[in-house]
Amino acid sequence: MNSELARSLPIGVFDSGVGGLTVLKALREALPAEDLVYLGDTARLPYGTKSPKSIERYACQATRLLQEQGIKLLVVACNTASAVALDALKAQMSPLPVIGVVEPGASAAVQAKPGGSHLVLATEATVRLGAYRRAIEHLDAAASVREHACEMLVSLAEEGWTDGEIATAIIRRYLDDASASASSPDSVILGCTHFPLLRDAIERCLEPGTTVVDSATTTAAVASRMLDETGLRSDGDTAGAIELLATDGATRFARVGGAFLGGKLDASDIRLVDL
Amino acid sequence: MNSELARSLPIGVFDSGVGGLTVLKALREALPAEDLVYLGDTARLPYGTKSPKSIERYACQATRLLQEQGIKLLVVACNTASAVALDALKAQMSPLPVIGVVEPGASAAVQAKPGGSHLVLATEATVRLGAYRRAIEHLDAAASVREHACEMLVSLAEEGWTDGEIATAIIRRYLDDASASASSPDSVILGCTHFPLLRDAIERCLEPGTTVVDSATTTAAVASRMLDETGLRSDGDTAGAIELLATDGATRFARVGGAFLGGKLDASDIRLVDL
């Protein structure tokens, strides 16, 4: 592929559902001139309860569809797929680059506080995979890591109850359960794509001075650097387009996804595709 | 099949996940001498976001597996499958009987308050299907029905936070949203198999005198009547056995399911099957 053509292609973003739209939003803010195409595999969510083999197969199918449309960079905006299928997706996309959400979050936390104590808030599936722990310990042997499953934060974000008394009570309870007798962490990593919607509420429940690492914005920053390193940044200076694809449930995707993307979506904005 | 053999067979219970264990528990209490076999299609949950055609296919596959093991009665402990696939399952099981969870709940509400106002608390998928509304209006043209989606109650039940401040705040918020300016309902129907775990907390948030209809216990009562009507009640007088089958995730099934069934489960208590 010639480099001018490659630069003109969109960035592909893949998630099991709507959560990855927080990553799409961060990419839009960091890279306003890039075209973006998002694929949510809503027909087969959640990935977290599936076997690693199925997750890899699903992720490769989704990536194949994005490759057929033409993309220059793949962002895997799904913690489960990032933890399980990143190597397979890199092999499939090669020589074009692939970015997951786990490494950027882990790296940002370690940079914020070398040798620090980190608390990863995530889904049960992500905690079970232990990918943030491994990534942080790989980068900083002196770091200490706790991971805590916070399933209710997912439904809280999807329900749109991102502020107020109920959100605060649930967040406090999870932070209390996660801390037990341990001291307050130096950084809190939002290890689920849904959680950036709760960032303000979470920050208000933390000790002053705690760093909050949001995998969506850190992943977008890595994507921006990657485009420069590979010479794939768009030549355009007009606002890029966004295309939204899903495998099922356009109405729900539009309703929940609008809040995640920070705007209003209509079911007709989403194109249904088969994998 | 001779009737003695038929009477000795277990009752089959099918759900998309662990929620239906509340129905299994109610069946165990109503019918202590019956053997029970439960199949949770955990690999493919949630059904609510799938197409009606897929739901029917999944439900028929699950029923086929239970039929091959040998069952005398099928209880569909899944609101989505009850709403979408009951006719297909009845055809497949014929001449043996099939009971869903929607009709018994609707019928109990109408009997409790003819011409009354009913509030159905359910998942978004069940509300969208409108099965409780149709069933109630079919039984009682004078009834008024409101249906309200309460997704957070599902994760609340699965998290085991079935009591206390957070549960109360979430339930109050849903009841407020559901009522808007309307008057307090005569009956509240727990139209999701997860919600019996929250029954006490829900009752405490309602006006005194409101009837709470729990589809799990009403379904078990209908099953008991059905066994007598068909002559299929077990001759045994010893405690029946329970067998648990799932299509994925025995560890999570055991952890969450224990609370639903009202006891402790170990992953080795669950047999994994393929559909």
Side-chain angles (χ1 to χ4, degrees):
Chain A
M1 191 187 314
N2 77 53
S3 57
E4 195 179 341
L5 171 61
R7 281 197 301 278
S8 73
L9 289 174
I11 297 171
V13 182
F14 153 64
D15 183 36
S16 58
V18 298
L21 290 174
T22 57
V23 179
L24 193 76
K25 181 169 181 251
L27 285 165
R28 162 55 60 247
E29 284 159 11
L31 298 161
E34 299 293 339
D35 290 337
L36 304 172
V37 52
Y38 181 95
L39 170 56
D41 190 9
T42 40
R44 299 192 290 200
L45 67 81
Y47 276 18
T49 52
K50 308 287 192 296
S51 69
K53 211 168 139 182
S54 295
I55 294 162
E56 186 174 303
R57 190 160 52 86
Y58 294 173
C60 287
Q61 286 170 352
T63 300
R64 178 69 58 208
L65 185 137
L66 291 170
Q67 285 177 297
E68 283 164 7
Q69 291 228 153
I71 55 170
K72 62 183 173 187
L73 162 67
L74 175 70
V75 176
V76 185
C78 168
N79 279 279
T80 306
S82 295
V84 171
L86 207 60
D87 287 344
L89 297 176
K90 280 180 176 168
Q92 187 176 314
M93 278 287 290
S94 174
L96 292 168
V98 177
I99 300 171
V101 281
V102 174
E103 296 287 335
S107 166
V110 166
Q111 279 170 39
K113 187 75 180 185
S117 67
H118 307 284
L119 171 61
V120 182
L121 304 181
T123 62
E124 190 179 322
T126 299
V127 168
R128 199 175 55 241
L129 291 166
Y132 279 94
R133 175 186 296 280
R134 274 199 311 279
I136 292 171
E137 291 176 348
H138 176 72
L139 292 168
D140 181 1
S144 80
V145 186
R146 274 173 289 155
E147 297 181 287
H148 195 71
C150 307
E151 290 296 319
M152 294 261 307
L153 299 188
V154 175
S155 41
L156 203 55
E158 295 202 349
E159 195 67 288
W161 295 359
T162 53
D163 214 334
E165 213 182 302
I166 291 173
T168 304
I170 293 174
I171 292 165
R172 277 194 202 285
R173 164 107 188 229
Y174 279 127
L175 291 174
D176 287 350
D177 289 355
S179 300
S181 58
S183 60
S184 176
D186 297 310
S187 92
V188 169
I189 300 168
L190 308 185
C192 167
T193 51
H194 283 62
F195 297 175
L197 274 89
L198 297 160
R199 182 179 181 137
D200 291 348
I202 291 171
E203 279 183 334
R204 279 196 295 273
C205 296
L206 294 170
E207 299 278 326
T210 313
T211 302
V212 174
V213 175
D214 164 345
S215 335
T217 54
T218 52
T219 300
V222 170
S224 177
R225 261 205 323 274
M226 184 76 87
L227 290 186
D228 288 334
E229 283 167 17
T230 53
L232 286 169
R233 187 180 282 273
S234 161
D235 301 322
D237 53 6
T238 53
I242 290 185
E243 188 179 5
L244 300 173
L245 313 175
T247 51
D248 207 355
T251 306
R252 185 167 199 280
F253 188 108
R255 187 173 55 71
V256 178
F260 280 67
L261 200 50
K264 210 171 148 44
L265 287 179
D266 188 82
S268 63
D269 296 330
I270 290 103
R271 182 158 64 89
L272 288 185
V273 293
D274 274 320
L275 289 182
Chain B
M1 191 187 315
N2 77 54
S3 57
E4 195 179 340
L5 170 63
R7 280 199 301 278
S8 72
L9 289 175
I11 297 172
V13 183
F14 153 64
D15 183 36
S16 58
V18 298
L21 290 174
T22 57
V23 179
L24 192 76
K25 180 168 180 255
L27 285 165
R28 162 53 61 247
E29 285 159 11
L31 298 162
E34 298 293 340
D35 290 337
L36 305 171
V37 53
Y38 181 94
L39 170 56
D41 190 8
T42 39
R44 300 192 290 200
L45 66 81
Y47 277 18
T49 52
K50 309 286 192 295
S51 69
K53 211 167 142 184
S54 296
I55 294 162
E56 186 173 304
R57 191 159 52 85
Y58 294 173
C60 287
Q61 287 170 351
T63 300
R64 180 67 60 207
L65 184 137
L66 291 169
Q67 286 177 296
E68 283 164 6
Q69 291 229 152
I71 55 170
K72 63 183 173 188
L73 162 67
L74 175 70
V75 176
V76 185
C78 168
N79 279 281
T80 306
S82 294
V84 170
L86 208 59
D87 287 343
L89 297 176
K90 281 180 175 167
Q92 187 175 314
M93 278 287 290
S94 174
L96 292 168
V98 176
I99 300 170
V101 283
V102 174
E103 297 287 335
S107 167
V110 165
Q111 277 170 41
K113 187 75 182 183
S117 67
H118 308 283
L119 171 61
V120 182
L121 304 181
T123 62
E124 190 179 323
T126 299
V127 169
R128 198 176 53 240
L129 291 166
Y132 279 94
R133 173 185 297 281
R134 273 198 311 279
I136 292 170
E137 290 176 349
H138 177 72
L139 292 168
D140 180 0
S144 81
V145 186
R146 275 171 289 155
E147 297 181 288
H148 195 73
C150 308
E151 290 297 321
M152 294 265 303
L153 299 189
V154 176
S155 42
L156 203 55
E158 296 204 346
E159 195 67 288
W161 297 358
T162 53
D163 214 332
E165 211 181 304
I166 291 174
T168 304
I170 292 173
I171 291 164
R172 276 196 202 285
R173 164 106 187 230
Y174 279 128
L175 291 174
D176 287 350
D177 289 355
S179 300
S181 59
S183 60
S184 176
D186 296 312
S187 92
V188 170
I189 299 167
L190 308 185
C192 168
T193 51
H194 283 63
F195 298 175
L197 275 89
L198 297 160
R199 182 179 180 138
D200 290 349
I202 291 169
E203 279 182 335
R204 280 196 294 273
C205 295
L206 294 170
E207 299 279 326
T210 312
T211 302
V212 173
V213 175
D214 164 343
S215 338
T217 53
T218 52
T219 299
V222 170
S224 178
R225 261 204 323 272
M226 184 76 87
L227 290 185
D228 288 333
E229 284 167 16
T230 53
L232 286 169
R233 187 181 283 271
S234 161
D235 300 322
D237 53 6
T238 54
I242 290 185
E243 187 181 4
L244 301 173
L245 313 174
T247 51
D248 206 358
T251 307
R252 183 166 201 281
F253 188 108
R255 187 173 54 69
V256 178
F260 280 65
L261 200 49
K264 211 172 146 44
L265 287 179
D266 187 83
S268 63
D269 297 330
I270 290 104
R271 182 158 63 88
L272 289 185
V273 293
D274 274 321
L275 290 181

